[in-house]
Amino acid sequence: MSTETLIAVTSLTKHFKGRGGKAQIHALDGVDLDIYRGKTVVIIGPSGSGKSTLLRCLNLLEVPTGGSVAVDGVDITKPGADIDKFRQKMGMVFQHFNLFPHMTVLRNMTLAPVKLLKMDREQAEARAMELLKRVGLEDRANAYPSQLSGGQKQRVAIVRALCMSPEILLFDEPTSALDPEMVGEVLDVMKSLAKEGMTMACVTHEMGFAREVANHVIFMDGGKIVEQGSPADIFDRPQSERLQSFLAKIL
């Protein structure tokens, strides 16, 4: 495995206040994790285990209660860190697409490169069309999100993130809102990105994808990393009773 660490998570905690502001919910409880450049990390676990919170803490969509997140060796949780600069390195693909409904596919894809990267509009559009062609959607460039299927929307969301030339892509359950027959077309795009060496961290319930594509699988429960290792370690040789119980219910 590559030893070049792109993201280093150290003793990360995230606490939410419970109802009435009394008891605290420990969404993350001392998480340590290294994400290596060019590798795919898949995060699995039951609902409420802290998977999505961990992912959202990587780009400070959720601000950690404690611990640190370092990107390219820079602690982005320190006061004064230019988080917008580092967010440009981290593309995020959400469960519900988050496309602007009043903009065409092409406009959705070129907005950020033009505004944030100061890219020439023609250059941004050429890059966007190249990426749309790659996922078989070049003929939908002038369509609006309401005119797309769920699978098409998610493929657009992925290539929209790629328009920013990120160093890492974060996927938060990218297929869970899709009809079953549309899941494959999105996973195929993700598989091709993994083969090309895109660094990816993905929260998913798709165990087949985790087994086939991941370099490293993390199993979370109760805000902690209970077990981690290669796909073979996690799926074929689970050590903890909690992971064994989880796999018995879903496989």
Side-chain angles (χ1 to χ4, degrees):
M1 179 178 282
S2 167
T3 55
E4 185 182 357
T5 302
L6 181 56
I7 297 181
V9 176
T10 306
S11 302
L12 201 67
T13 61
K14 177 62 180 179
H15 302 160
F16 295 101
K17 288 185 177 179
R19 289 183 178 177
K22 295 181 180 179
Q24 285 193 328
I25 300 168
H26 292 230
L28 296 177
D29 190 8
V31 171
D32 295 306
L33 172 65
D34 287 333
I35 298 176
Y36 297 104
R37 191 179 298 277
K39 303 300 179 181
T40 297
V41 173
V42 173
I43 306 166
I44 65 172
S47 296
S49 59
K51 307 184 301 295
S52 291
T53 301
L54 172 58
L55 201 71
R56 292 170 67 86
C57 280
L58 296 183
N59 62 2
L60 300 195
L61 287 179
E62 293 284 0
V63 178
T65 305
S68 65
V69 178
V71 180
D72 278 335
V74 178
D75 183 356
I76 65 173
T77 58
K78 279 189 174 181
D82 186 353
I83 184 57
D84 289 335
K85 171 186 173 184
F86 287 98
R87 279 188 181 137
Q88 290 178 17
K89 297 183 178 186
M90 293 185 271
M92 185 93 177
V93 179
F94 299 90
Q95 180 177 346
H96 294 290
F97 325 127
N98 285 22
L99 299 175
F100 293 111
H102 62 290
M103 294 183 182
T104 64
V105 166
L106 190 61
R107 181 77 172 127
N108 263 284
M109 294 180 65
T110 57
L111 181 65
V114 170
K115 284 201 165 188
L116 299 179
L117 300 183
K118 308 302 181 185
M119 190 180 289
D120 177 84
R121 183 172 296 281
E122 288 186 5
Q123 182 185 1
E125 289 184 352
R127 168 74 170 151
M129 290 304 298
E130 175 188 320
L131 288 167
L132 284 173
K133 184 175 182 180
R134 170 178 173 166
V135 298
L137 291 175
E138 66 269 32
D139 61 334
R140 309 299 284 156
N142 293 314
Y144 288 87
S146 63
Q147 299 170 309
L148 304 179
S149 70
Q152 289 174 329
K153 288 177 187 175
Q154 197 58 294
R155 281 184 282 162
V156 169
I158 293 172
V159 293
R160 176 183 61 176
L162 289 173
C163 279
M164 293 292 287
S165 300
E167 292 187 33
I168 183 170
L169 282 179
L170 309 176
F171 294 88
D172 190 5
E173 300 191 19
T175 60
S176 60
L178 301 179
D179 292 334
E181 67 267 22
M182 297 177 183
V183 170
E185 63 192 50
V186 173
L187 292 182
D188 284 344
V189 175
M190 295 171 66
K191 289 175 185 176
S192 69
L193 290 170
K195 287 179 182 177
E196 293 167 11
M198 171 61 73
T199 309
M200 300 195 295
C202 180
V203 171
T204 185
H205 295 289
E206 299 292 335
M207 297 302 138
F209 172 82
R211 182 186 283 273
E212 179 183 351
V213 179
N215 300 105
H216 196 71
V217 180
I218 291 165
F219 171 66
M220 293 188 68
D221 190 39
K224 297 177 180 287
I225 294 178
V226 176
E227 200 164 332
Q228 59 182 308
S230 69
D233 290 334
I234 296 299
F235 294 108
D236 299 333
R237 298 181 292 274
Q239 301 298 307
S240 64
E241 288 186 14
R242 184 64 189 94
L243 176 55
Q244 292 168 10
S245 171
F246 174 77
L247 294 175
K249 291 175 182 175
I250 63 168
L251 295 182

